[in-house]
Amino acid sequence: QSALTQPPSASGSPGQSVTISCTGTSSDVGGYNYVSWYQQHPGKAPKLMIYEVTKRPSGVPDRFSGSKSGNTASLSVSGLQAEDEADYYCGSHSDIYPMVFGGGTRLTVL
Amino acid sequence: EVQLVESGGGLVQPGGSLRLSCEASLFTFSNFWMNWVRQAPGKGLEWVANIKQDGSVRNYVESAKGRFTISRDNAKSSLYLHLNSLRAEDTAVYYCARAWVPGTLEVWGQGTMVTVSS
């Protein structure tokens, strides 16, 4: 059982927007502005997409954005493209461990 | 391009041991906390362990305490994970990853597969 809770699946049509949630507690997501998001295509290593809740690493399209309210963080993807189809994981610093992850959300582009 | 390359995975019997390695290139390895993360087949990511720049602080997930040991050799730009008393549930792809800020793994290796089976 993962420390952070994500919906198992999400979907949207090309060009649409989709939001994935990540719910934790005041000991992790709610207590720190150290939430990150990772994209993982099948058979590949995870790739950092968002860090410190809202920041995008160089090279990540601005179609990807992050936010947080209380104990829930969110990843939004606008203008969905076929290559966005992947698994997405949230991560957070926590009181107990340096890093905890969500269970992952499979994003399907219809 | 900044790179992390893992090696050392393989098939091992329950109760056995293995040493994973991760070689870093094109960045100053000694400046960063380093981590191991694993992913069981068809499952999500699980943080396993991390180590401070100088090796003075090491943290482990509960299931790894007493069985796994993380270490590093800054002169060789290399990270290690010693796996002992392996169990079937340790079967996973093991990734090494660089941490720049807390809660952020910004560079990942390609992973090395560990299979624990008789």
Side-chain angles (χ1 to χ4, degrees), chain A residues 34-36 38 40 44-48 51-52 89 91-93 97-103, chain B residues 37 39 43-47 50 59-62 95 100-106 108-110:
Chain A
Y34 290 130
V35 176
S36 51
Y38 303 86
Q40 186 179 36
K44 301 295 186 181
K47 174 187 175 183
L48 178 66
Y51 67 100
E52 292 184 57
Y89 294 91
S92 175
H93 184 67
Y97 294 129
M99 186 81 186
V100 291
F101 289 103
Chain B
V37 175
Q39 186 171 35
K43 302 297 184 181
L45 302 173
E46 180 184 33
W47 175 84
N50 73 352
N59 299 293
Y60 299 91
V61 70
E62 192 62 36
Y95 296 100
W100 175 34
V101 296
T104 302
L105 301 178
E106 43 149 357
W108 296 65
Q110 86 289 348

mmCIF file of all heavy atoms in Angstrom, chain A residues 34-36 38 40 44-48 51-52 89 91-93 97-103, chain B residues 37 39 43-47 50 59-62 95 100-106 108-110:
data_model
loop_
_atom_site.group_PDB
_atom_site.id
_atom_site.type_symbol
_atom_site.label_atom_id
_atom_site.label_comp_id
_atom_site.label_asym_id
_atom_site.label_seq_id
_atom_site.Cartn_x
_atom_site.Cartn_y
_atom_site.Cartn_z
ATOM 1 N N TYR A 34 7.519 20.044 -1.185
ATOM 2 C CA TYR A 34 8.457 19.171 -1.890
ATOM 3 C C TYR A 34 7.698 18.026 -2.533
ATOM 4 O O TYR A 34 7.955 16.849 -2.276
ATOM 5 C CB TYR A 34 9.517 18.635 -0.928
ATOM 6 C CG TYR A 34 10.507 19.677 -0.444
ATOM 7 C CD1 TYR A 34 10.788 19.818 0.914
ATOM 8 C CD2 TYR A 34 11.154 20.515 -1.346
ATOM 9 C CE1 TYR A 34 11.689 20.761 1.358
ATOM 10 C CE2 TYR A 34 12.055 21.470 -0.911
ATOM 11 C CZ TYR A 34 12.321 21.585 0.440
ATOM 12 O OH TYR A 34 13.217 22.531 0.877
ATOM 13 N N VAL A 35 6.740 18.384 -3.374
ATOM 14 C CA VAL A 35 5.980 17.401 -4.132
ATOM 15 C C VAL A 35 6.520 17.367 -5.559
ATOM 16 O O VAL A 35 6.774 18.418 -6.163
ATOM 17 C CB VAL A 35 4.479 17.745 -4.164
ATOM 18 C CG1 VAL A 35 3.725 16.757 -5.050
ATOM 19 C CG2 VAL A 35 3.903 17.746 -2.752
ATOM 20 N N SER A 36 6.706 16.179 -6.069
ATOM 21 C CA SER A 36 7.213 16.005 -7.428
ATOM 22 C C SER A 36 6.336 15.030 -8.194
ATOM 23 O O SER A 36 5.564 14.263 -7.600
ATOM 24 C CB SER A 36 8.669 15.507 -7.396
ATOM 25 O OG SER A 36 8.804 14.376 -6.543
ATOM 26 N N TYR A 38 6.357 12.305 -11.732
ATOM 27 C CA TYR A 38 7.203 11.549 -12.635
ATOM 28 C C TYR A 38 6.349 10.888 -13.707
ATOM 29 O O TYR A 38 5.263 10.359 -13.420
ATOM 30 C CB TYR A 38 7.993 10.477 -11.871
ATOM 31 C CG TYR A 38 8.823 11.089 -10.765
ATOM 32 C CD1 TYR A 38 8.259 11.310 -9.513
ATOM 33 C CD2 TYR A 38 10.121 11.506 -10.988
ATOM 34 C CE1 TYR A 38 8.980 11.927 -8.498
ATOM 35 C CE2 TYR A 38 10.850 12.128 -9.986
ATOM 36 C CZ TYR A 38 10.275 12.331 -8.747
ATOM 37 O OH TYR A 38 10.988 12.956 -7.758
ATOM 38 N N GLN A 40 6.354 7.861 -16.570
ATOM 39 C CA GLN A 40 7.058 6.628 -16.899
ATOM 40 C C GLN A 40 6.352 5.923 -18.057
ATOM 41 O O GLN A 40 5.203 5.492 -17.923
ATOM 42 C CB GLN A 40 7.138 5.696 -15.693
ATOM 43 C CG GLN A 40 7.984 4.458 -15.958
ATOM 44 C CD GLN A 40 8.091 3.531 -14.760
ATOM 45 O OE1 GLN A 40 7.142 3.371 -14.001
ATOM 46 N NE2 GLN A 40 9.265 2.908 -14.591
ATOM 47 N N LYS A 44 10.581 1.933 -19.446
ATOM 48 C CA LYS A 44 11.537 3.034 -19.320
ATOM 49 C C LYS A 44 11.658 3.484 -17.870
ATOM 50 O O LYS A 44 10.834 3.171 -17.031
ATOM 51 C CB LYS A 44 11.085 4.227 -20.174
ATOM 52 C CG LYS A 44 10.953 3.906 -21.659
ATOM 53 C CD LYS A 44 12.298 3.562 -22.273
ATOM 54 C CE LYS A 44 12.181 3.400 -23.777
ATOM 55 N NZ LYS A 44 13.502 3.034 -24.393
ATOM 56 N N ALA A 45 12.718 4.255 -17.597
ATOM 57 C CA ALA A 45 12.898 4.831 -16.271
ATOM 58 C C ALA A 45 11.955 6.013 -16.084
ATOM 59 O O ALA A 45 11.559 6.663 -17.064
ATOM 60 C CB ALA A 45 14.342 5.278 -16.090
ATOM 61 N N PRO A 46 11.585 6.304 -14.862
ATOM 62 C CA PRO A 46 10.772 7.503 -14.606
ATOM 63 C C PRO A 46 11.511 8.767 -15.027
ATOM 64 O O PRO A 46 12.742 8.814 -15.003
ATOM 65 C CB PRO A 46 10.572 7.464 -13.083
ATOM 66 C CG PRO A 46 10.750 6.035 -12.709
ATOM 67 C CD PRO A 46 11.809 5.529 -13.635
ATOM 68 N N LYS A 47 10.736 9.775 -15.375
ATOM 69 C CA LYS A 47 11.272 11.079 -15.770
ATOM 70 C C LYS A 47 10.610 12.155 -14.926
ATOM 71 O O LYS A 47 9.380 12.191 -14.807
ATOM 72 C CB LYS A 47 10.990 11.344 -17.248
ATOM 73 C CG LYS A 47 11.382 12.725 -17.717
ATOM 74 C CD LYS A 47 10.907 12.979 -19.145
ATOM 75 C CE LYS A 47 11.199 14.412 -19.590
ATOM 76 N NZ LYS A 47 10.675 14.686 -20.950
ATOM 77 N N LEU A 48 11.410 13.031 -14.354
ATOM 78 C CA LEU A 48 10.882 14.121 -13.531
ATOM 79 C C LEU A 48 10.142 15.127 -14.397
ATOM 80 O O LEU A 48 10.705 15.639 -15.372
ATOM 81 C CB LEU A 48 12.023 14.809 -12.789
ATOM 82 C CG LEU A 48 11.646 16.009 -11.916
ATOM 83 C CD1 LEU A 48 10.774 15.584 -10.738
ATOM 84 C CD2 LEU A 48 12.914 16.731 -11.426
ATOM 85 N N TYR A 51 8.615 19.534 -9.962
ATOM 86 C CA TYR A 51 9.227 19.449 -8.636
ATOM 87 C C TYR A 51 8.841 20.674 -7.820
ATOM 88 O O TYR A 51 8.401 21.682 -8.373
ATOM 89 C CB TYR A 51 10.746 19.281 -8.734
ATOM 90 C CG TYR A 51 11.487 20.479 -9.283
ATOM 91 C CD1 TYR A 51 12.136 21.368 -8.434
ATOM 92 C CD2 TYR A 51 11.552 20.720 -10.654
ATOM 93 C CE1 TYR A 51 12.826 22.458 -8.929
ATOM 94 C CE2 TYR A 51 12.231 21.808 -11.155
ATOM 95 C CZ TYR A 51 12.868 22.670 -10.295
ATOM 96 O OH TYR A 51 13.553 23.765 -10.787
ATOM 97 N N GLU A 52 9.006 20.571 -6.523
ATOM 98 C CA GLU A 52 8.605 21.642 -5.604
ATOM 99 C C GLU A 52 7.221 22.169 -5.950
ATOM 100 O O GLU A 52 6.996 23.374 -6.052
ATOM 101 C CB GLU A 52 9.649 22.750 -5.609
ATOM 102 C CG GLU A 52 10.978 22.317 -5.002
ATOM 103 C CD GLU A 52 11.997 23.443 -4.911
ATOM 104 O OE1 GLU A 52 11.697 24.471 -4.286
ATOM 105 O OE2 GLU A 52 13.087 23.274 -5.481
ATOM 106 N N TYR A 89 3.492 9.185 -11.510
ATOM 107 C CA TYR A 89 3.646 8.976 -10.076
ATOM 108 C C TYR A 89 3.903 10.306 -9.385
ATOM 109 O O TYR A 89 4.720 11.118 -9.859
ATOM 110 C CB TYR A 89 4.823 8.045 -9.785
ATOM 111 C CG TYR A 89 4.633 6.643 -10.278
ATOM 112 C CD1 TYR A 89 5.043 6.258 -11.550
ATOM 113 C CD2 TYR A 89 4.049 5.671 -9.464
ATOM 114 C CE1 TYR A 89 4.862 4.970 -12.006
ATOM 115 C CE2 TYR A 89 3.871 4.373 -9.909
ATOM 116 C CZ TYR A 89 4.276 4.028 -11.183
ATOM 117 O OH TYR A 89 4.103 2.732 -11.621
ATOM 118 N N GLY A 91 5.358 12.092 -5.864
ATOM 119 C CA GLY A 91 6.294 11.815 -4.789
ATOM 120 C C GLY A 91 6.332 12.997 -3.842
ATOM 121 O O GLY A 91 5.991 14.121 -4.230
ATOM 122 N N SER A 92 6.728 12.738 -2.626
ATOM 123 C CA SER A 92 6.813 13.811 -1.639
ATOM 124 C C SER A 92 7.842 13.482 -0.578
ATOM 125 O O SER A 92 8.052 12.325 -0.225
ATOM 126 C CB SER A 92 5.449 14.031 -0.975
ATOM 127 O OG SER A 92 5.531 14.982 0.075
ATOM 128 N N HIS A 93 8.481 14.534 -0.074
ATOM 129 C CA HIS A 93 9.272 14.385 1.130
ATOM 130 C C HIS A 93 8.291 14.133 2.269
ATOM 131 O O HIS A 93 7.147 14.601 2.226
ATOM 132 C CB HIS A 93 10.079 15.658 1.373
ATOM 133 C CG HIS A 93 10.998 15.567 2.534
ATOM 134 N ND1 HIS A 93 12.102 14.740 2.575
ATOM 135 C CD2 HIS A 93 10.981 16.198 3.737
ATOM 136 C CE1 HIS A 93 12.723 14.874 3.731
ATOM 137 N NE2 HIS A 93 12.066 15.752 4.452
ATOM 138 N N TYR A 97 10.080 9.245 5.903
ATOM 139 C CA TYR A 97 11.092 8.873 4.917
ATOM 140 C C TYR A 97 11.449 10.088 4.059
ATOM 141 O O TYR A 97 10.614 10.966 3.860
ATOM 142 C CB TYR A 97 10.586 7.759 3.995
ATOM 143 C CG TYR A 97 10.348 6.443 4.681
ATOM 144 C CD1 TYR A 97 9.148 5.758 4.537
ATOM 145 C CD2 TYR A 97 11.336 5.855 5.477
ATOM 146 C CE1 TYR A 97 8.931 4.534 5.151
ATOM 147 C CE2 TYR A 97 11.127 4.631 6.093
ATOM 148 C CZ TYR A 97 9.917 3.990 5.928
ATOM 149 O OH TYR A 97 9.703 2.779 6.538
ATOM 150 N N PRO A 98 12.675 10.112 3.514
ATOM 151 C CA PRO A 98 13.052 11.216 2.622
ATOM 152 C C PRO A 98 12.154 11.314 1.387
ATOM 153 O O PRO A 98 11.997 12.384 0.818
ATOM 154 C CB PRO A 98 14.480 10.860 2.219
ATOM 155 C CG PRO A 98 14.985 10.007 3.330
ATOM 156 C CD PRO A 98 13.814 9.213 3.792
ATOM 157 N N MET A 99 11.555 10.180 1.004
ATOM 158 C CA MET A 99 10.759 10.170 -0.218
ATOM 159 C C MET A 99 9.670 9.111 -0.099
ATOM 160 O O MET A 99 9.955 7.980 0.298
ATOM 161 C CB MET A 99 11.658 9.827 -1.410
ATOM 162 C CG MET A 99 11.006 9.924 -2.747
ATOM 163 S SD MET A 99 10.995 11.635 -3.282
ATOM 164 C CE MET A 99 10.025 11.527 -4.772
ATOM 165 N N VAL A 100 8.451 9.482 -0.421
ATOM 166 C CA VAL A 100 7.365 8.515 -0.549
ATOM 167 C C VAL A 100 6.682 8.747 -1.880
ATOM 168 O O VAL A 100 6.696 9.867 -2.403
ATOM 169 C CB VAL A 100 6.341 8.623 0.611
ATOM 170 C CG1 VAL A 100 6.977 8.162 1.917
ATOM 171 C CG2 VAL A 100 5.805 10.042 0.749
ATOM 172 N N PHE A 101 6.080 7.684 -2.420
ATOM 173 C CA PHE A 101 5.434 7.765 -3.720
ATOM 174 C C PHE A 101 3.946 7.417 -3.628
ATOM 175 O O PHE A 101 3.513 6.741 -2.692
ATOM 176 C CB PHE A 101 6.082 6.779 -4.699
ATOM 177 C CG PHE A 101 7.460 7.153 -5.137
ATOM 178 C CD1 PHE A 101 8.565 6.507 -4.601
ATOM 179 C CD2 PHE A 101 7.672 8.133 -6.098
ATOM 180 C CE1 PHE A 101 9.848 6.828 -5.007
ATOM 181 C CE2 PHE A 101 8.948 8.466 -6.510
ATOM 182 C CZ PHE A 101 10.045 7.813 -5.957
ATOM 183 N N GLY A 102 3.220 7.864 -4.633
ATOM 184 C CA GLY A 102 1.866 7.404 -4.831
ATOM 185 C C GLY A 102 1.875 6.099 -5.607
ATOM 186 O O GLY A 102 2.911 5.679 -6.127
ATOM 187 N N GLY A 103 0.718 5.466 -5.708
ATOM 188 C CA GLY A 103 0.633 4.179 -6.374
ATOM 189 C C GLY A 103 0.663 4.255 -7.894
ATOM 190 O O GLY A 103 0.793 3.225 -8.564
ATOM 191 N N VAL B 37 15.726 3.375 -5.706
ATOM 192 C CA VAL B 37 14.276 3.213 -5.794
ATOM 193 C C VAL B 37 14.022 1.904 -6.525
ATOM 194 O O VAL B 37 14.736 1.579 -7.475
ATOM 195 C CB VAL B 37 13.636 4.391 -6.564
ATOM 196 C CG1 VAL B 37 12.131 4.164 -6.758
ATOM 197 C CG2 VAL B 37 13.883 5.706 -5.844
ATOM 198 N N GLN B 39 11.070 -1.021 -8.252
ATOM 199 C CA GLN B 39 9.743 -1.193 -8.836
ATOM 200 C C GLN B 39 9.527 -2.662 -9.126
ATOM 201 O O GLN B 39 10.154 -3.221 -10.035
ATOM 202 C CB GLN B 39 9.614 -0.357 -10.108
ATOM 203 C CG GLN B 39 8.231 -0.356 -10.720
ATOM 204 C CD GLN B 39 8.106 0.651 -11.852
ATOM 205 O OE1 GLN B 39 9.051 0.889 -12.613
ATOM 206 N NE2 GLN B 39 6.926 1.244 -11.990
ATOM 207 N N LYS B 43 4.140 -3.127 -10.681
ATOM 208 C CA LYS B 43 3.784 -2.335 -9.500
ATOM 209 C C LYS B 43 4.356 -0.923 -9.577
ATOM 210 O O LYS B 43 5.005 -0.546 -10.550
ATOM 211 C CB LYS B 43 4.309 -3.035 -8.235
ATOM 212 C CG LYS B 43 3.798 -4.453 -8.052
ATOM 213 C CD LYS B 43 2.290 -4.482 -7.885
ATOM 214 C CE LYS B 43 1.807 -5.909 -7.611
ATOM 215 N NZ LYS B 43 0.319 -5.968 -7.477
ATOM 216 N N GLY B 44 4.110 -0.152 -8.512
ATOM 217 C CA GLY B 44 4.563 1.226 -8.466
ATOM 218 C C GLY B 44 5.972 1.370 -7.927
ATOM 219 O O GLY B 44 6.671 0.392 -7.638
ATOM 220 N N LEU B 45 6.384 2.623 -7.794
ATOM 221 C CA LEU B 45 7.720 2.946 -7.314
ATOM 222 C C LEU B 45 7.773 2.876 -5.788
ATOM 223 O O LEU B 45 6.828 3.268 -5.105
ATOM 224 C CB LEU B 45 8.112 4.356 -7.762
ATOM 225 C CG LEU B 45 8.095 4.618 -9.264
ATOM 226 C CD1 LEU B 45 8.334 6.107 -9.544
ATOM 227 C CD2 LEU B 45 9.127 3.771 -9.975
ATOM 228 N N GLU B 46 8.904 2.397 -5.281
ATOM 229 C CA GLU B 46 9.126 2.353 -3.838
ATOM 230 C C GLU B 46 10.534 2.877 -3.548
ATOM 231 O O GLU B 46 11.520 2.308 -4.018
ATOM 232 C CB GLU B 46 8.972 0.935 -3.280
ATOM 233 C CG GLU B 46 9.209 0.872 -1.782
ATOM 234 C CD GLU B 46 9.156 -0.535 -1.207
ATOM 235 O OE1 GLU B 46 9.549 -1.487 -1.918
ATOM 236 O OE2 GLU B 46 8.739 -0.686 -0.045
ATOM 237 N N TRP B 47 10.621 3.939 -2.779
ATOM 238 C CA TRP B 47 11.919 4.450 -2.348
ATOM 239 C C TRP B 47 12.542 3.434 -1.382
ATOM 240 O O TRP B 47 11.861 2.897 -0.498
ATOM 241 C CB TRP B 47 11.737 5.803 -1.662
ATOM 242 C CG TRP B 47 13.013 6.328 -1.090
ATOM 243 C CD1 TRP B 47 13.989 7.017 -1.734
ATOM 244 C CD2 TRP B 47 13.453 6.175 0.269
ATOM 245 N NE1 TRP B 47 15.012 7.311 -0.857
ATOM 246 C CE2 TRP B 47 14.712 6.802 0.369
ATOM 247 C CE3 TRP B 47 12.909 5.566 1.391
ATOM 248 C CZ2 TRP B 47 15.430 6.843 1.565
ATOM 249 C CZ3 TRP B 47 13.615 5.599 2.579
ATOM 250 C CH2 TRP B 47 14.871 6.231 2.657
ATOM 251 N N ASN B 50 18.711 6.139 0.834
ATOM 252 C CA ASN B 50 19.513 7.238 0.304
ATOM 253 C C ASN B 50 20.742 7.464 1.178
ATOM 254 O O ASN B 50 20.845 6.928 2.283
ATOM 255 C CB ASN B 50 18.703 8.517 0.099
ATOM 256 C CG ASN B 50 18.326 9.225 1.395
ATOM 257 O OD1 ASN B 50 18.525 8.720 2.485
ATOM 258 N ND2 ASN B 50 17.750 10.411 1.257
ATOM 259 N N ASN B 59 19.666 6.527 5.054
ATOM 260 C CA ASN B 59 18.288 6.264 5.445
ATOM 261 C C ASN B 59 17.764 5.077 4.651
ATOM 262 O O ASN B 59 18.144 4.885 3.491
ATOM 263 C CB ASN B 59 17.396 7.483 5.153
ATOM 264 C CG ASN B 59 17.833 8.711 5.929
ATOM 265 O OD1 ASN B 59 17.744 8.752 7.151
ATOM 266 N ND2 ASN B 59 18.306 9.724 5.225
ATOM 267 N N TYR B 60 16.852 4.300 5.276
ATOM 268 C CA TYR B 60 16.322 3.105 4.635
ATOM 269 C C TYR B 60 14.815 3.000 4.861
ATOM 270 O O TYR B 60 14.302 3.385 5.915
ATOM 271 C CB TYR B 60 16.963 1.838 5.212
ATOM 272 C CG TYR B 60 18.457 1.747 5.035
ATOM 273 C CD1 TYR B 60 19.330 2.234 6.006
ATOM 274 C CD2 TYR B 60 19.002 1.163 3.892
ATOM 275 C CE1 TYR B 60 20.695 2.146 5.852
ATOM 276 C CE2 TYR B 60 20.363 1.063 3.728
ATOM 277 C CZ TYR B 60 21.208 1.561 4.708
ATOM 278 O OH TYR B 60 22.577 1.469 4.542
ATOM 279 N N VAL B 61 14.124 2.411 3.882
ATOM 280 C CA VAL B 61 12.735 2.028 4.109
ATOM 281 C C VAL B 61 12.737 0.885 5.114
ATOM 282 O O VAL B 61 13.712 0.122 5.216
ATOM 283 C CB VAL B 61 12.066 1.625 2.773
ATOM 284 C CG1 VAL B 61 12.610 0.298 2.251
ATOM 285 C CG2 VAL B 61 10.560 1.583 2.916
ATOM 286 N N GLU B 62 11.666 0.758 5.871
ATOM 287 C CA GLU B 62 11.624 -0.213 6.963
ATOM 288 C C GLU B 62 11.970 -1.626 6.501
ATOM 289 O O GLU B 62 12.717 -2.342 7.170
ATOM 290 C CB GLU B 62 10.239 -0.192 7.612
ATOM 291 C CG GLU B 62 10.155 -0.943 8.936
ATOM 292 C CD GLU B 62 11.052 -0.347 9.998
ATOM 293 O OE1 GLU B 62 11.205 0.899 10.047
ATOM 294 O OE2 GLU B 62 11.606 -1.132 10.803
ATOM 295 N N TYR B 95 16.469 1.148 -9.411
ATOM 296 C CA TYR B 95 16.973 2.358 -10.060
ATOM 297 C C TYR B 95 17.824 3.152 -9.068
ATOM 298 O O TYR B 95 17.465 3.264 -7.884
ATOM 299 C CB TYR B 95 15.821 3.272 -10.474
ATOM 300 C CG TYR B 95 14.879 2.739 -11.521
ATOM 301 C CD1 TYR B 95 13.653 2.186 -11.170
ATOM 302 C CD2 TYR B 95 15.191 2.829 -12.881
ATOM 303 C CE1 TYR B 95 12.763 1.730 -12.128
ATOM 304 C CE2 TYR B 95 14.316 2.373 -13.850
ATOM 305 C CZ TYR B 95 13.102 1.818 -13.464
ATOM 306 O OH TYR B 95 12.226 1.373 -14.418
ATOM 307 N N TRP B 100 18.369 16.461 -5.929
ATOM 308 C CA TRP B 100 18.864 17.839 -5.905
ATOM 309 C C TRP B 100 18.251 18.597 -4.744
ATOM 310 O O TRP B 100 18.949 19.283 -4.011
ATOM 311 C CB TRP B 100 18.541 18.489 -7.246
ATOM 312 C CG TRP B 100 18.881 19.928 -7.337
ATOM 313 C CD1 TRP B 100 19.942 20.569 -6.747
ATOM 314 C CD2 TRP B 100 18.184 20.916 -8.072
ATOM 315 N NE1 TRP B 100 19.927 21.893 -7.087
ATOM 316 C CE2 TRP B 100 18.874 22.142 -7.898
ATOM 317 C CE3 TRP B 100 17.041 20.894 -8.879
ATOM 318 C CZ2 TRP B 100 18.431 23.314 -8.499
ATOM 319 C CZ3 TRP B 100 16.628 22.070 -9.472
ATOM 320 C CH2 TRP B 100 17.316 23.256 -9.269
ATOM 321 N N VAL B 101 16.940 18.467 -4.594
ATOM 322 C CA VAL B 101 16.246 19.046 -3.446
ATOM 323 C C VAL B 101 15.427 17.936 -2.804
ATOM 324 O O VAL B 101 15.155 16.915 -3.448
ATOM 325 C CB VAL B 101 15.329 20.212 -3.850
ATOM 326 C CG1 VAL B 101 16.141 21.358 -4.420
ATOM 327 C CG2 VAL B 101 14.272 19.759 -4.832
ATOM 328 N N PRO B 102 15.013 18.097 -1.552
ATOM 329 C CA PRO B 102 14.209 17.050 -0.908
ATOM 330 C C PRO B 102 12.973 16.690 -1.733
ATOM 331 O O PRO B 102 12.375 17.551 -2.373
ATOM 332 C CB PRO B 102 13.828 17.688 0.430
ATOM 333 C CG PRO B 102 14.909 18.661 0.712
ATOM 334 C CD PRO B 102 15.286 19.219 -0.647
ATOM 335 N N GLY B 103 12.635 15.425 -1.720
ATOM 336 C CA GLY B 103 11.429 14.992 -2.415
ATOM 337 C C GLY B 103 11.494 15.092 -3.920
ATOM 338 O O GLY B 103 10.460 15.084 -4.595
ATOM 339 N N THR B 104 12.702 15.170 -4.456
ATOM 340 C CA THR B 104 12.859 15.316 -5.907
ATOM 341 C C THR B 104 13.993 14.435 -6.402
ATOM 342 O O THR B 104 15.140 14.601 -5.985
ATOM 343 C CB THR B 104 13.181 16.777 -6.277
ATOM 344 O OG1 THR B 104 12.140 17.626 -5.805
ATOM 345 C CG2 THR B 104 13.328 16.916 -7.782
ATOM 346 N N LEU B 105 13.671 13.509 -7.290
ATOM 347 C CA LEU B 105 14.682 12.654 -7.909
ATOM 348 C C LEU B 105 14.782 13.091 -9.352
ATOM 349 O O LEU B 105 13.912 12.778 -10.171
ATOM 350 C CB LEU B 105 14.277 11.183 -7.774
ATOM 351 C CG LEU B 105 14.104 10.728 -6.319
ATOM 352 C CD1 LEU B 105 13.657 9.284 -6.250
ATOM 353 C CD2 LEU B 105 15.388 10.926 -5.533
ATOM 354 N N GLU B 106 15.830 13.845 -9.663
ATOM 355 C CA GLU B 106 15.853 14.581 -10.929
ATOM 356 C C GLU B 106 16.536 13.820 -12.043
ATOM 357 O O GLU B 106 16.283 14.094 -13.213
ATOM 358 C CB GLU B 106 16.516 15.933 -10.738
ATOM 359 C CG GLU B 106 17.751 15.876 -9.889
ATOM 360 C CD GLU B 106 18.789 16.909 -10.262
ATOM 361 O OE1 GLU B 106 18.588 17.663 -11.232
ATOM 362 O OE2 GLU B 106 19.815 16.937 -9.578
ATOM 363 N N TRP B 108 17.640 9.792 -13.259
ATOM 364 C CA TRP B 108 17.460 8.368 -12.981
ATOM 365 C C TRP B 108 18.338 7.541 -13.922
ATOM 366 O O TRP B 108 18.546 7.912 -15.075
ATOM 367 C CB TRP B 108 16.002 7.956 -13.212
ATOM 368 C CG TRP B 108 14.998 8.592 -12.296
ATOM 369 C CD1 TRP B 108 14.668 9.914 -12.226
ATOM 370 C CD2 TRP B 108 14.179 7.918 -11.339
ATOM 371 N NE1 TRP B 108 13.684 10.099 -11.271
ATOM 372 C CE2 TRP B 108 13.364 8.904 -10.725
ATOM 373 C CE3 TRP B 108 14.029 6.589 -10.950
ATOM 374 C CZ2 TRP B 108 12.425 8.587 -9.729
ATOM 375 C CZ3 TRP B 108 13.098 6.271 -9.968
ATOM 376 C CH2 TRP B 108 12.314 7.270 -9.365
ATOM 377 N N GLY B 109 18.773 6.392 -13.427
ATOM 378 C CA GLY B 109 19.415 5.435 -14.299
ATOM 379 C C GLY B 109 18.368 4.616 -15.039
ATOM 380 O O GLY B 109 17.163 4.816 -14.858
ATOM 381 N N GLN B 110 18.831 3.671 -15.845
ATOM 382 C CA GLN B 110 17.913 2.848 -16.642
ATOM 383 C C GLN B 110 17.394 1.646 -15.852
ATOM 384 O O GLN B 110 16.449 0.996 -16.282
ATOM 385 C CB GLN B 110 18.611 2.369 -17.931
ATOM 386 C CG GLN B 110 19.438 1.092 -17.793
ATOM 387 C CD GLN B 110 20.716 1.268 -16.993
ATOM 388 O OE1 GLN B 110 21.139 2.387 -16.704
ATOM 389 N NE2 GLN B 110 21.350 0.155 -16.650
#
